[in-house]
mmCIF file with all atom_site columns, all heavy atoms in Angstrom:
data_model
loop_
_atom_site.group_PDB
_atom_site.id
_atom_site.type_symbol
_atom_site.label_atom_id
_atom_site.label_alt_id
_atom_site.label_comp_id
_atom_site.label_asym_id
_atom_site.label_entity_id
_atom_site.label_seq_id
_atom_site.pdbx_PDB_ins_code
_atom_site.Cartn_x
_atom_site.Cartn_y
_atom_site.Cartn_z
_atom_site.occupancy
_atom_site.B_iso_or_equiv
_atom_site.pdbx_formal_charge
_atom_site.auth_seq_id
_atom_site.auth_comp_id
_atom_site.auth_asym_id
_atom_site.auth_atom_id
_atom_site.pdbx_PDB_model_num
ATOM 1   N N   . HIS A 1 778 ? 133.220 28.141 45.329 1.00 94.00 ? 932 HIS A N   1
ATOM 2   C CA  . HIS A 1 778 ? 133.129 29.379 46.104 1.00 94.00 ? 932 HIS A CA  1
ATOM 3   C C   . HIS A 1 778 ? 131.716 29.969 46.053 1.00 94.00 ? 932 HIS A C   1
ATOM 4   O O   . HIS A 1 778 ? 131.172 30.383 47.076 1.00 94.00 ? 932 HIS A O   1
ATOM 5   C CB  . HIS A 1 778 ? 134.144 30.403 45.568 1.00 94.00 ? 932 HIS A CB  1
ATOM 6   C CG  . HIS A 1 778 ? 135.535 30.200 46.069 1.00 94.00 ? 932 HIS A CG  1
ATOM 7   N ND1 . HIS A 1 778 ? 136.026 30.830 47.192 1.00 94.00 ? 932 HIS A ND1 1
ATOM 8   C CD2 . HIS A 1 778 ? 136.537 29.403 45.625 1.00 94.00 ? 932 HIS A CD2 1
ATOM 9   C CE1 . HIS A 1 778 ? 137.268 30.447 47.405 1.00 94.00 ? 932 HIS A CE1 1
ATOM 10  N NE2 . HIS A 1 778 ? 137.619 29.574 46.458 1.00 94.00 ? 932 HIS A NE2 1
ATOM 11  N N   . ILE A 1 779 ? 131.143 30.011 44.836 1.00 95.00 ? 933 ILE A N   1
ATOM 12  C CA  . ILE A 1 779 ? 129.822 30.652 44.731 1.00 95.00 ? 933 ILE A CA  1
ATOM 13  C C   . ILE A 1 779 ? 128.734 29.783 45.352 1.00 95.00 ? 933 ILE A C   1
ATOM 14  O O   . ILE A 1 779 ? 127.768 30.301 45.934 1.00 95.00 ? 933 ILE A O   1
ATOM 15  C CB  . ILE A 1 779 ? 129.502 30.990 43.262 1.00 95.00 ? 933 ILE A CB  1
ATOM 16  C CG1 . ILE A 1 779 ? 128.394 32.064 43.236 1.00 95.00 ? 933 ILE A CG1 1
ATOM 17  C CG2 . ILE A 1 779 ? 129.096 29.761 42.468 1.00 95.00 ? 933 ILE A CG2 1
ATOM 18  C CD1 . ILE A 1 779 ? 128.167 32.674 41.875 1.00 95.00 ? 933 ILE A CD1 1
ATOM 19  N N   . LEU A 1 780 ? 128.896 28.451 45.263 1.00 96.00 ? 934 LEU A N   1
ATOM 20  C CA  . LEU A 1 780 ? 127.909 27.585 45.899 1.00 96.00 ? 934 LEU A CA  1
ATOM 21  C C   . LEU A 1 780 ? 127.980 27.696 47.416 1.00 96.00 ? 934 LEU A C   1
ATOM 22  O O   . LEU A 1 780 ? 126.945 27.703 48.105 1.00 96.00 ? 934 LEU A O   1
ATOM 23  C CB  . LEU A 1 780 ? 128.123 26.136 45.467 1.00 96.00 ? 934 LEU A CB  1
ATOM 24  C CG  . LEU A 1 780 ? 127.782 25.811 44.001 1.00 96.00 ? 934 LEU A CG  1
ATOM 25  C CD1 . LEU A 1 780 ? 128.084 24.351 43.690 1.00 96.00 ? 934 LEU A CD1 1
ATOM 26  C CD2 . LEU A 1 780 ? 126.329 26.119 43.693 1.00 96.00 ? 934 LEU A CD2 1
ATOM 27  N N   . GLU A 1 781 ? 129.174 27.797 47.950 1.00 95.00 ? 935 GLU A N   1
ATOM 28  C CA  . GLU A 1 781 ? 129.320 27.984 49.402 1.00 95.00 ? 935 GLU A CA  1
ATOM 29  C C   . GLU A 1 781 ? 128.718 29.313 49.836 1.00 95.00 ? 935 GLU A C   1
ATOM 30  O O   . GLU A 1 781 ? 128.031 29.408 50.851 1.00 95.00 ? 935 GLU A O   1
ATOM 31  C CB  . GLU A 1 781 ? 130.804 27.923 49.765 1.00 95.00 ? 935 GLU A CB  1
ATOM 32  C CG  . GLU A 1 781 ? 131.063 28.071 51.260 1.00 95.00 ? 935 GLU A CG  1
ATOM 33  C CD  . GLU A 1 781 ? 132.548 28.033 51.599 1.00 95.00 ? 935 GLU A CD  1
ATOM 34  O OE1 . GLU A 1 781 ? 133.377 27.743 50.700 1.00 95.00 ? 935 GLU A OE1 1
ATOM 35  O OE2 . GLU A 1 781 ? 132.884 28.308 52.769 1.00 95.00 ? 935 GLU A OE2 1
ATOM 36  N N   . LEU A 1 782 ? 128.971 30.353 49.030 1.00 95.00 ? 936 LEU A N   1
ATOM 37  C CA  . LEU A 1 782 ? 128.388 31.663 49.319 1.00 95.00 ? 936 LEU A CA  1
ATOM 38  C C   . LEU A 1 782 ? 126.864 31.602 49.240 1.00 95.00 ? 936 LEU A C   1
ATOM 39  O O   . LEU A 1 782 ? 126.148 32.189 50.066 1.00 95.00 ? 936 LEU A O   1
ATOM 40  C CB  . LEU A 1 782 ? 128.939 32.680 48.321 1.00 95.00 ? 936 LEU A CB  1
ATOM 41  C CG  . LEU A 1 782 ? 128.427 34.125 48.442 1.00 95.00 ? 936 LEU A CG  1
ATOM 42  C CD1 . LEU A 1 782 ? 128.838 34.724 49.786 1.00 95.00 ? 936 LEU A CD1 1
ATOM 43  C CD2 . LEU A 1 782 ? 128.982 34.982 47.296 1.00 95.00 ? 936 LEU A CD2 1
ATOM 44  N N   . GLY A 1 783 ? 126.352 30.867 48.249 1.00 95.00 ? 937 GLY A N   1
ATOM 45  C CA  . GLY A 1 783 ? 124.909 30.735 48.101 1.00 95.00 ? 937 GLY A CA  1
ATOM 46  C C   . GLY A 1 783 ? 124.262 30.053 49.286 1.00 95.00 ? 937 GLY A C   1
ATOM 47  O O   . GLY A 1 783 ? 123.202 30.481 49.767 1.00 95.00 ? 937 GLY A O   1
ATOM 48  N N   . GLN A 1 784 ? 124.887 28.989 49.784 1.00 94.00 ? 938 GLN A N   1
ATOM 49  C CA  . GLN A 1 784 ? 124.365 28.296 50.969 1.00 94.00 ? 938 GLN A CA  1
ATOM 50  C C   . GLN A 1 784 ? 124.314 29.231 52.168 1.00 94.00 ? 938 GLN A C   1
ATOM 51  O O   . GLN A 1 784 ? 123.335 29.239 52.927 1.00 94.00 ? 938 GLN A O   1
ATOM 52  C CB  . GLN A 1 784 ? 125.247 27.085 51.292 1.00 94.00 ? 938 GLN A CB  1
ATOM 53  C CG  . GLN A 1 784 ? 125.080 25.920 50.331 1.00 94.00 ? 938 GLN A CG  1
ATOM 54  C CD  . GLN A 1 784 ? 123.917 25.024 50.714 1.00 94.00 ? 938 GLN A CD  1
ATOM 55  O OE1 . GLN A 1 784 ? 122.992 25.445 51.399 1.00 94.00 ? 938 GLN A OE1 1
ATOM 56  N NE2 . GLN A 1 784 ? 123.948 23.780 50.253 1.00 94.00 ? 938 GLN A NE2 1
ATOM 57  N N   . LYS A 1 785 ? 125.366 30.026 52.325 1.00 93.00 ? 939 LYS A N   1
ATOM 58  C CA  . LYS A 1 785 ? 125.416 30.951 53.462 1.00 93.00 ? 939 LYS A CA  1
ATOM 59  C C   . LYS A 1 785 ? 124.308 32.002 53.362 1.00 93.00 ? 939 LYS A C   1
ATOM 60  O O   . LYS A 1 785 ? 123.592 32.269 54.340 1.00 93.00 ? 939 LYS A O   1
ATOM 61  C CB  . LYS A 1 785 ? 126.793 31.618 53.506 1.00 93.00 ? 939 LYS A CB  1
ATOM 62  C CG  . LYS A 1 785 ? 126.957 32.604 54.648 1.00 93.00 ? 939 LYS A CG  1
ATOM 63  C CD  . LYS A 1 785 ? 128.330 33.271 54.607 1.00 93.00 ? 939 LYS A CD  1
ATOM 64  C CE  . LYS A 1 785 ? 128.456 34.308 55.716 1.00 93.00 ? 939 LYS A CE  1
ATOM 65  N NZ  . LYS A 1 785 ? 129.768 35.019 55.645 1.00 93.00 ? 939 LYS A NZ  1
ATOM 66  N N   . LYS A 1 786 ? 124.172 32.612 52.187 1.00 91.00 ? 940 LYS A N   1
ATOM 67  C CA  . LYS A 1 786 ? 123.140 33.645 52.010 1.00 91.00 ? 940 LYS A CA  1
ATOM 68  C C   . LYS A 1 786 ? 121.736 33.060 52.165 1.00 91.00 ? 940 LYS A C   1
ATOM 69  O O   . LYS A 1 786 ? 120.848 33.695 52.727 1.00 91.00 ? 940 LYS A O   1
ATOM 70  C CB  . LYS A 1 786 ? 123.282 34.276 50.621 1.00 91.00 ? 940 LYS A CB  1
ATOM 71  C CG  . LYS A 1 786 ? 124.512 35.150 50.451 1.00 91.00 ? 940 LYS A CG  1
ATOM 72  C CD  . LYS A 1 786 ? 124.358 36.477 51.172 1.00 91.00 ? 940 LYS A CD  1
ATOM 73  C CE  . LYS A 1 786 ? 125.523 37.403 50.897 1.00 91.00 ? 940 LYS A CE  1
ATOM 74  N NZ  . LYS A 1 786 ? 125.387 38.698 51.628 1.00 91.00 ? 940 LYS A NZ  1
ATOM 75  N N   . LEU A 1 787 ? 121.550 31.832 51.666 1.00 91.00 ? 941 LEU A N   1
ATOM 76  C CA  . LEU A 1 787 ? 120.237 31.191 51.765 1.00 91.00 ? 941 LEU A CA  1
ATOM 77  C C   . LEU A 1 787 ? 119.847 30.992 53.221 1.00 91.00 ? 941 LEU A C   1
ATOM 78  O O   . LEU A 1 787 ? 118.702 31.272 53.618 1.00 91.00 ? 941 LEU A O   1
ATOM 79  C CB  . LEU A 1 787 ? 120.255 29.859 51.024 1.00 91.00 ? 941 LEU A CB  1
ATOM 80  C CG  . LEU A 1 787 ? 118.941 29.050 51.032 1.00 91.00 ? 941 LEU A CG  1
ATOM 81  C CD1 . LEU A 1 787 ? 117.841 29.813 50.329 1.00 91.00 ? 941 LEU A CD1 1
ATOM 82  C CD2 . LEU A 1 787 ? 119.146 27.690 50.372 1.00 91.00 ? 941 LEU A CD2 1
ATOM 83  N N   . SER A 1 788 ? 120.774 30.521 54.034 1.00 88.00 ? 942 SER A N   1
ATOM 84  C CA  . SER A 1 788 ? 120.469 30.296 55.454 1.00 88.00 ? 942 SER A CA  1
ATOM 85  C C   . SER A 1 788 ? 120.226 31.605 56.184 1.00 88.00 ? 942 SER A C   1
ATOM 86  O O   . SER A 1 788 ? 119.469 31.652 57.155 1.00 88.00 ? 942 SER A O   1
ATOM 87  C CB  . SER A 1 788 ? 121.595 29.506 56.118 1.00 88.00 ? 942 SER A CB  1
ATOM 88  O OG  . SER A 1 788 ? 122.806 30.234 56.056 1.00 88.00 ? 942 SER A OG  1
ATOM 89  N N   . GLU A 1 789 ? 120.855 32.691 55.740 1.00 83.00 ? 943 GLU A N   1
ATOM 90  C CA  . GLU A 1 789 ? 120.636 33.996 56.379 1.00 83.00 ? 943 GLU A CA  1
ATOM 91  C C   . GLU A 1 789 ? 119.265 34.574 56.037 1.00 83.00 ? 943 GLU A C   1
ATOM 92  O O   . GLU A 1 789 ? 118.633 35.223 56.866 1.00 83.00 ? 943 GLU A O   1
ATOM 93  C CB  . GLU A 1 789 ? 121.727 34.977 55.928 1.00 83.00 ? 943 GLU A CB  1
ATOM 94  C CG  . GLU A 1 789 ? 123.113 34.667 56.480 1.00 83.00 ? 943 GLU A CG  1
ATOM 95  C CD  . GLU A 1 789 ? 124.164 35.597 55.902 1.00 83.00 ? 943 GLU A CD  1
ATOM 96  O OE1 . GLU A 1 789 ? 123.808 36.412 55.012 1.00 83.00 ? 943 GLU A OE1 1
ATOM 97  O OE2 . GLU A 1 789 ? 125.331 35.518 56.327 1.00 83.00 ? 943 GLU A OE2 1
ATOM 98  N N   . HIS A 1 790 ? 118.806 34.309 54.821 1.00 80.00 ? 944 HIS A N   1
ATOM 99  C CA  . HIS A 1 790 ? 117.566 34.930 54.359 1.00 80.00 ? 944 HIS A CA  1
ATOM 100 C C   . HIS A 1 790 ? 116.327 34.116 54.696 1.00 80.00 ? 944 HIS A C   1
ATOM 101 O O   . HIS A 1 790 ? 115.271 34.679 54.963 1.00 80.00 ? 944 HIS A O   1
ATOM 102 C CB  . HIS A 1 790 ? 117.618 35.132 52.838 1.00 80.00 ? 944 HIS A CB  1
ATOM 103 C CG  . HIS A 1 790 ? 118.354 36.351 52.418 1.00 80.00 ? 944 HIS A CG  1
ATOM 104 N ND1 . HIS A 1 790 ? 119.713 36.506 52.612 1.00 80.00 ? 944 HIS A ND1 1
ATOM 105 C CD2 . HIS A 1 790 ? 117.922 37.491 51.808 1.00 80.00 ? 944 HIS A CD2 1
ATOM 106 C CE1 . HIS A 1 790 ? 120.093 37.672 52.136 1.00 80.00 ? 944 HIS A CE1 1
ATOM 107 N NE2 . HIS A 1 790 ? 119.028 38.296 51.644 1.00 80.00 ? 944 HIS A NE2 1
ATOM 108 N N   . ILE A 1 791 ? 116.428 32.818 54.644 1.00 80.00 ? 945 ILE A N   1
ATOM 109 C CA  . ILE A 1 791 ? 115.260 31.945 54.746 1.00 80.00 ? 945 ILE A CA  1
ATOM 110 C C   . ILE A 1 791 ? 115.329 31.167 56.049 1.00 80.00 ? 945 ILE A C   1
ATOM 111 O O   . ILE A 1 791 ? 116.268 30.401 56.279 1.00 80.00 ? 945 ILE A O   1
ATOM 112 C CB  . ILE A 1 791 ? 115.176 30.974 53.554 1.00 80.00 ? 945 ILE A CB  1
ATOM 113 C CG1 . ILE A 1 791 ? 115.266 31.742 52.234 1.00 80.00 ? 945 ILE A CG1 1
ATOM 114 C CG2 . ILE A 1 791 ? 113.900 30.154 53.625 1.00 80.00 ? 945 ILE A CG2 1
ATOM 115 C CD1 . ILE A 1 791 ? 114.173 32.766 52.051 1.00 80.00 ? 945 ILE A CD1 1
ATOM 116 N N   . ARG A 1 792 ? 114.327 31.337 56.899 1.00 70.00 ? 946 ARG A N   1
ATOM 117 C CA  . ARG A 1 792 ? 114.313 30.650 58.197 1.00 70.00 ? 946 ARG A CA  1
ATOM 118 C C   . ARG A 1 792 ? 113.848 29.203 58.062 1.00 70.00 ? 946 ARG A C   1
ATOM 119 O O   . ARG A 1 792 ? 114.299 28.344 58.805 1.00 70.00 ? 946 ARG A O   1
ATOM 120 C CB  . ARG A 1 792 ? 113.390 31.393 59.162 1.00 70.00 ? 946 ARG A CB  1
ATOM 121 C CG  . ARG A 1 792 ? 113.782 32.845 59.374 1.00 70.00 ? 946 ARG A CG  1
ATOM 122 C CD  . ARG A 1 792 ? 112.857 33.519 60.362 1.00 70.00 ? 946 ARG A CD  1
ATOM 123 N NE  . ARG A 1 792 ? 113.186 34.932 60.495 1.00 70.00 ? 946 ARG A NE  1
ATOM 124 C CZ  . ARG A 1 792 ? 112.686 35.728 61.419 1.00 70.00 ? 946 ARG A CZ  1
ATOM 125 N NH1 . ARG A 1 792 ? 111.820 35.238 62.285 1.00 70.00 ? 946 ARG A NH1 1
ATOM 126 N NH2 . ARG A 1 792 ? 113.017 36.994 61.477 1.00 70.00 ? 946 ARG A NH2 1
ATOM 127 N N   . SER A 1 793 ? 112.947 28.956 57.146 1.00 73.00 ? 947 SER A N   1
ATOM 128 C CA  . SER A 1 793 ? 112.364 27.618 57.005 1.00 73.00 ? 947 SER A CA  1
ATOM 129 C C   . SER A 1 793 ? 113.366 26.668 56.358 1.00 73.00 ? 947 SER A C   1
ATOM 130 O O   . SER A 1 793 ? 113.818 26.896 55.222 1.00 73.00 ? 947 SER A O   1
ATOM 131 C CB  . SER A 1 793 ? 111.080 27.692 56.171 1.00 73.00 ? 947 SER A CB  1
ATOM 132 O OG  . SER A 1 793 ? 110.654 26.406 55.797 1.00 73.00 ? 947 SER A OG  1
ATOM 133 N N   . GLU A 1 794 ? 113.696 25.587 57.070 1.00 81.00 ? 948 GLU A N   1
ATOM 134 C CA  . GLU A 1 794 ? 114.603 24.598 56.500 1.00 81.00 ? 948 GLU A CA  1
ATOM 135 C C   . GLU A 1 794 ? 113.972 23.887 55.308 1.00 81.00 ? 948 GLU A C   1
ATOM 136 O O   . GLU A 1 794 ? 114.661 23.521 54.354 1.00 81.00 ? 948 GLU A O   1
ATOM 137 C CB  . GLU A 1 794 ? 114.997 23.584 57.575 1.00 81.00 ? 948 GLU A CB  1
ATOM 138 C CG  . GLU A 1 794 ? 115.836 24.186 58.697 1.00 81.00 ? 948 GLU A CG  1
ATOM 139 C CD  . GLU A 1 794 ? 116.266 23.146 59.718 1.00 81.00 ? 948 GLU A CD  1
ATOM 140 O OE1 . GLU A 1 794 ? 115.903 21.957 59.526 1.00 81.00 ? 948 GLU A OE1 1
ATOM 141 O OE2 . GLU A 1 794 ? 116.954 23.510 60.689 1.00 81.00 ? 948 GLU A OE2 1
ATOM 142 N N   . LYS A 1 795 ? 112.651 23.684 55.344 1.00 83.00 ? 949 LYS A N   1
ATOM 143 C CA  . LYS A 1 795 ? 111.968 23.048 54.220 1.00 83.00 ? 949 LYS A CA  1
ATOM 144 C C   . LYS A 1 795 ? 112.077 23.917 52.969 1.00 83.00 ? 949 LYS A C   1
ATOM 145 O O   . LYS A 1 795 ? 112.318 23.417 51.862 1.00 83.00 ? 949 LYS A O   1
ATOM 146 C CB  . LYS A 1 795 ? 110.501 22.796 54.563 1.00 83.00 ? 949 LYS A CB  1
ATOM 147 C CG  . LYS A 1 795 ? 110.282 21.715 55.612 1.00 83.00 ? 949 LYS A CG  1
ATOM 148 C CD  . LYS A 1 795 ? 108.797 21.491 55.850 1.00 83.00 ? 949 LYS A CD  1
ATOM 149 C CE  . LYS A 1 795 ? 108.570 20.401 56.892 1.00 83.00 ? 949 LYS A CE  1
ATOM 150 N NZ  . LYS A 1 795 ? 107.125 20.184 57.154 1.00 83.00 ? 949 LYS A NZ  1
ATOM 151 N N   . LEU A 1 796 ? 111.884 25.234 53.132 1.00 84.00 ? 950 LEU A N   1
ATOM 152 C CA  . LEU A 1 796 ? 111.979 26.136 51.988 1.00 84.00 ? 950 LEU A CA  1
ATOM 153 C C   . LEU A 1 796 ? 113.409 26.210 51.477 1.00 84.00 ? 950 LEU A C   1
ATOM 154 O O   . LEU A 1 796 ? 113.644 26.291 50.264 1.00 84.00 ? 950 LEU A O   1
ATOM 155 C CB  . LEU A 1 796 ? 111.461 27.522 52.378 1.00 84.00 ? 950 LEU A CB  1
ATOM 156 C CG  . LEU A 1 796 ? 111.223 28.506 51.220 1.00 84.00 ? 950 LEU A CG  1
ATOM 157 C CD1 . LEU A 1 796 ? 110.222 27.926 50.225 1.00 84.00 ? 950 LEU A CD1 1
ATOM 158 C CD2 . LEU A 1 796 ? 110.730 29.845 51.749 1.00 84.00 ? 950 LEU A CD2 1
ATOM 159 N N   . GLN A 1 797 ? 114.372 26.162 52.382 1.00 88.00 ? 951 GLN A N   1
ATOM 160 C CA  . GLN A 1 797 ? 115.767 26.131 51.954 1.00 88.00 ? 951 GLN A CA  1
ATOM 161 C C   . GLN A 1 797 ? 116.027 24.912 51.078 1.00 88.00 ? 951 GLN A C   1
ATOM 162 O O   . GLN A 1 797 ? 116.637 25.011 50.014 1.00 88.00 ? 951 GLN A O   1
ATOM 163 C CB  . GLN A 1 797 ? 116.698 26.095 53.175 1.00 88.00 ? 951 GLN A CB  1
ATOM 164 C CG  . GLN A 1 797 ? 116.758 27.377 53.971 1.00 88.00 ? 951 GLN A CG  1
ATOM 165 C CD  . GLN A 1 797 ? 117.693 27.267 55.163 1.00 88.00 ? 951 GLN A CD  1
ATOM 166 O OE1 . GLN A 1 797 ? 118.625 26.465 55.157 1.00 88.00 ? 951 GLN A OE1 1
ATOM 167 N NE2 . GLN A 1 797 ? 117.469 28.080 56.179 1.00 88.00 ? 951 GLN A NE2 1
ATOM 168 N N   . ALA A 1 798 ? 115.562 23.757 51.526 1.00 91.00 ? 952 ALA A N   1
ATOM 169 C CA  . ALA A 1 798 ? 115.779 22.529 50.766 1.00 91.00 ? 952 ALA A CA  1
ATOM 170 C C   . ALA A 1 798 ? 115.052 22.573 49.421 1.00 91.00 ? 952 ALA A C   1
ATOM 171 O O   . ALA A 1 798 ? 115.533 22.023 48.420 1.00 91.00 ? 952 ALA A O   1
ATOM 172 C CB  . ALA A 1 798 ? 115.303 21.331 51.579 1.00 91.00 ? 952 ALA A CB  1
ATOM 173 N N   . PHE A 1 799 ? 113.911 23.242 49.380 1.00 91.00 ? 953 PHE A N   1
ATOM 174 C CA  . PHE A 1 799 ? 113.135 23.327 48.147 1.00 91.00 ? 953 PHE A CA  1
ATOM 175 C C   . PHE A 1 799 ? 113.805 24.273 47.148 1.00 91.00 ? 953 PHE A C   1
ATOM 176 O O   . PHE A 1 799 ? 113.816 24.017 45.938 1.00 91.00 ? 953 PHE A O   1
ATOM 177 C CB  . PHE A 1 799 ? 111.719 23.797 48.480 1.00 91.00 ? 953 PHE A CB  1
ATOM 178 C CG  . PHE A 1 799 ? 110.811 23.913 47.293 1.00 91.00 ? 953 PHE A CG  1
ATOM 179 C CD1 . PHE A 1 799 ? 110.359 22.779 46.635 1.00 91.00 ? 953 PHE A CD1 1
ATOM 180 C CD2 . PHE A 1 799 ? 110.420 25.158 46.816 1.00 91.00 ? 953 PHE A CD2 1
ATOM 181 C CE1 . PHE A 1 799 ? 109.519 22.876 45.524 1.00 91.00 ? 953 PHE A CE1 1
ATOM 182 C CE2 . PHE A 1 799 ? 109.588 25.267 45.721 1.00 91.00 ? 953 PHE A CE2 1
ATOM 183 C CZ  . PHE A 1 799 ? 109.136 24.120 45.065 1.00 91.00 ? 953 PHE A CZ  1
#
Side-chain angles (χ1 to χ4, degrees):
H932 279 267
I933 199 169
L934 290 178
E935 181 181 352
L936 179 63
Q938 287 275 23
K939 180 182 177 183
K940 290 286 185 181
L941 180 63
S942 62
E943 290 175 355
H944 278 66
I945 308 300
R946 302 181 184 190
S947 168
E948 294 183 0
K949 290 182 180 179
L950 192 58
Q951 289 180 26
F953 181 70

